[in-house]
Structures are given as C-alpha cells and as structure tokens.
Amino acid sequence: MTQDEDDENENIQTEIDQMKSEALQKLNDMDTKMSSTPPATIRTTTDAATSSTTTTTASTDNSSTTTVPIRKNPSVSLPLDPMVEQLTLLSDTSWKMSLNIGREQGTWMPKDWGVSGDRLLINLQIDFTGQQLYKREDFLGGLGGARILKIKDNQMTLSPSVREGIQTIRALEGGWRVAKGQGPMGTDILRFYLEVEERISHTDGDVYCPAGRIYCNCGYFPMNRPDSGRKQRYREQLESMEEMANGLQSEMEEDTAFFSLGKIQKSSELMRIRVEMQKTAEMYTAARVMEPDGSLLKISNDGRTGLTKEGGICCKVEKSMGTEYHILGRFSIAPVNSRDSR
C-alpha cells in the first residue's frame, strides 16, 4: 500500500469518527428533550501542528474543557465520558429473572383478568449487551445509550400448573437503557423490554401475558459512587433527638405542680424537637431511597452495578387518545453466577 493510499485511508477514518461524534451529539440532543439534564456540547477541532482531530467537551459555563483524542485506528475504542460510563456499567452482564404475572393493585387490565388469584411464573436468563440498539422504543425514552437485550437460547420457561406441565416459550431479543434521574428522589431507573410471539397462559386460567413486548423497570445504582454518609448522619440525629425528647417527657411527668413555667418551657421545647424529628425522618427516608441498603439490591458479579431485586412489569396498549401501560405484575432478578451459566 502506498503512502498516498495510507493518507487517504486515514482521512476516511477521521471523517467516519467525525460523523460518529455528530451522530452521538444528535442522540444526546434527543435525550435532552426527555430529561432535564443538560448535555455536553461537542465540537471538533483540528490541530495544525499534529494534524490530529480531537473532540472537545465544554461545560455549560465555559469554565473548563476536556480534550479527548479521536481514534485513528478503528480497532481502538473511543474513551467513554465519565457520565456515560456510569450508565453503561451494566453492559455485558448476565442475569436470571423470574416474571410473576398476575393481578396487581392499580392495574388497568380487564376486570376479569386474574381475579382468581392465579399467577404465571416465567423464568429466563437475559444478557445486557453493549451493542447499540437502533430500533426506537418510546418506553426507553430515547436511542442515546439504548442497547440490545438478549435472551439466552431465545427461550423462557413457564412453571407448571395443576393441570399442565412445564412449557417452553420462544422469546425475542429486546433493548435496555438507563434513564438518568427518572426514578424516585432523582435516582436512576433501568428500563428494558423483551418480546414474545404469542399469548402466554395456562389452560382454563384467567390470567395471561399478551403477545408482544413485555416492559420492565427497576432501580439502577452504580456501586462506584462514594457513600455520602447522609443515612448515618440522619440516623444519629434522630437517635439524639429521640433521647432528648424522652428526657423532656420524663421531666414533665415528674413535675406535678398545677402551674409550672418550667413545664411550659419544656413542653414548647419538646414540640420543637418533634417537628425537627419529623423533618429529619423525611430526609432519612429520602437518603435511604437514594442510597438503598444492600439488602434491597442485587449486585452484578463484577461488583460495579446494583439493581433493586424486584421491579415492575407492564404491557403497552394503544388507545385512540394515546398509549397506556397496563401493569402485568412484578419480577425478581439476580446475577448469573458461574454455575448458572454452565
């Protein structure tokens, strides 16, 4: 290969990288419309001294810039933005799921659906791949950061009922995406879906899973974030205030005078402490939502990601006035260990 051909190939690769940067910016712009989080501004510049193309990320206040080199070698991956990396920690991990489908409070499924209390228990293994998803799905909230979800062997297993044995059900791959800040108290939510080709049910049962896409969501917590210490701090404050309140209450009970200025002062102080306790308890509850206890999470095998061990399932129903998501049930999830994957 001649030098001219090498230069031409290098120029072509540079143009491809620039196109990818522009495409990524467009995806980020689309996500911005769905989220209050402002995206980074991406622009390309050429350094005449080195003839290398770079991508510069500027903060919204123009106070600082970060320069990331664009690769010339197509076999070398572009470095991830730290914020993007937080949302991709789940990539290339495998999990086992159990879908528990049946009537739940608040569902908009038909009135006779699942009234008997019967449930469908469906087991499967899923892989959150790092492959870009190009099929648009409104449930995910955008294409930026959306990736392919695969089902092991494209199969799910329906647990037996009194009248039927185990059934094997074909399932198609779907997609997944982390919705940043869309959960309670601004936490992140993992949204994903898979697809079944036919309705799932037991013979003579009144509960079924309709054919089509099954949508799931649960909490998503990167484990590389430092502990803020807020839970511990609020808990200690509550314990201290409770001790003070109990002390004041005991002193008031021991004061048997018909009229006591000290008793009135203590009563006022006790009321103030109880108001503070209520505020602190609310902040403690919020901190527990934003930084849940380990007992509420299932941690990926690499220790980088925690998912709430239970989540919700729904299906999409198109109405004349718009789209509705009807609750189908709940699911449990856990990482696949080495023995499970054999």
Side-chain angles (χ1 to χ4, degrees):
M1 183 177 293
T2 66
Q3 181 62 41
D4 291 341
E5 290 176 334
D6 287 340
D7 292 341
E8 183 178 358
N9 289 337
E10 183 175 319
N11 290 334
I12 293 174
Q13 187 59 52
T14 299
E15 291 176 4
I16 292 174
D17 285 332
Q18 289 178 331
M19 293 172 63
K20 287 184 177 180
S21 294
E22 293 172 1
L24 177 60
Q25 177 62 33
K26 291 180 180 179
L27 290 175
N28 286 336
D29 291 342
M30 292 171 59
D31 289 343
T32 304
K33 298 178 182 179
M34 306 297 295
S35 170
S36 60
T37 305
T41 300
I42 298 178
R43 65 177 184 270
T44 58
T45 62
T46 301
D47 187 338
T50 61
S51 299
S52 63
T53 304
T54 62
T55 297
T56 303
T57 304
S59 63
T60 53
D61 60 1
N62 293 324
S63 61
S64 62
T65 60
T66 303
T67 301
V68 180
I70 289 181
R71 64 189 174 96
K72 292 184 177 180
N73 186 345
S75 65
V76 178
S77 299
L78 287 170
L80 282 177
D81 179 270
M83 183 61 69
V84 174
E85 187 175 11
Q86 288 285 319
L87 305 181
T88 59
L89 297 175
L90 201 60
S91 295
D92 302 319
T93 62
S94 298
W95 300 72
K96 53 187 177 182
M97 285 184 66
S98 179
L99 309 182
N100 188 335
I101 297 176
R103 195 160 197 88
E104 300 282 345
Q105 185 177 1
T107 185
W108 290 351
M109 291 295 284
K111 293 182 178 180
D112 59 350
W113 182 83
V115 293
S116 67
D118 286 347
R119 315 285 298 192
L120 299 177
L121 303 179
I122 304 172
N123 298 307
L124 66 155
Q125 181 175 318
I126 60 176
D127 295 324
F128 294 102
T129 77
Q131 303 171 33
Q132 175 68 41
L133 177 71
Y134 294 103
K135 299 177 182 177
R136 181 165 183 83
E137 171 51 62
D138 292 339
F139 178 79
L140 298 182
L143 281 175
R147 289 167 171 76
I148 294 174
L149 177 86
K150 291 188 176 181
I151 316 297
K152 184 179 180 181
D153 300 327
N154 289 112
Q155 290 184 347
M156 306 190 300
T157 302
L158 176 62
S159 297
S161 66
V162 175
R163 297 174 294 274
E164 295 177 312
I166 295 176
Q167 298 182 43
T168 299
I169 301 159
R170 177 173 166 77
L172 306 179
E173 68 180 26
W176 69 277
R177 181 177 182 269
V178 175
K180 182 168 181 57
Q182 299 300 304
M185 303 295 176
T187 55
D188 301 336
I189 289 289
L190 170 64
R191 294 175 177 165
F192 59 99
Y193 72 89
L194 55 98
E195 190 168 349
V196 293
E197 297 177 308
E198 56 186 24
R199 191 168 93 162
I200 305 171
S201 64
H202 286 304
T203 302
D204 300 328
D206 64 352
V207 63
Y208 59 87
C209 177
R213 290 182 175 178
I214 302 172
Y215 300 95
C216 308
N217 65 81
C218 65
Y220 172 89
F221 297 90
M223 303 308 293
N224 57 2
R225 293 176 181 172
D227 188 348
S228 68
R230 286 179 296 183
K231 287 193 299 181
Q232 178 69 19
R233 184 167 64 251
Y234 293 145
R235 182 166 55 245
E236 291 174 353
Q237 290 176 359
L238 282 172
E239 291 172 353
S240 176
M241 287 187 285
E242 185 176 5
E243 185 177 347
M244 293 173 59
N246 290 337
L248 286 171
Q249 185 68 45
S250 298
E251 292 176 9
M252 291 171 58
E253 292 174 354
E254 293 172 358
D255 189 346
T256 58
F258 179 75
F259 177 81
S260 171
L261 181 59
K263 193 173 184 178
I264 294 176
Q265 291 174 338
K266 290 175 183 177
S267 177
S268 176
E269 177 66 9
L270 180 60
M271 182 174 296
R272 184 193 67 79
I273 291 176
R274 285 176 173 168
V275 170
E276 287 298 318
M277 286 180 67
Q278 182 176 354
K279 292 180 181 179
T280 304
E282 292 174 354
M283 291 188 290
Y284 177 55
T285 299
R288 292 186 66 187
V289 172
M290 292 185 283
E291 299 177 0
D293 295 336
S295 60
L296 301 177
L297 301 178
K298 290 296 184 179
I299 311 300
S300 60
N301 288 326
D302 58 15
R304 300 197 306 167
T305 314
L307 302 181
T308 50
K309 59 185 180 182
E310 293 186 344
I313 312 170
C314 59
C315 64
K316 183 189 292 187
V317 178
E318 299 291 348
K319 298 282 189 176
S320 58
M321 298 297 292
T323 301
E324 296 177 352
Y325 290 93
H326 293 189
I327 298 173
L328 288 176
R330 55 189 183 272
F331 70 86
S332 58
I333 193 167
V336 174
N337 57 42
S338 57
R339 286 186 303 176
D340 294 328
S341 60
R342 292 175 186 172

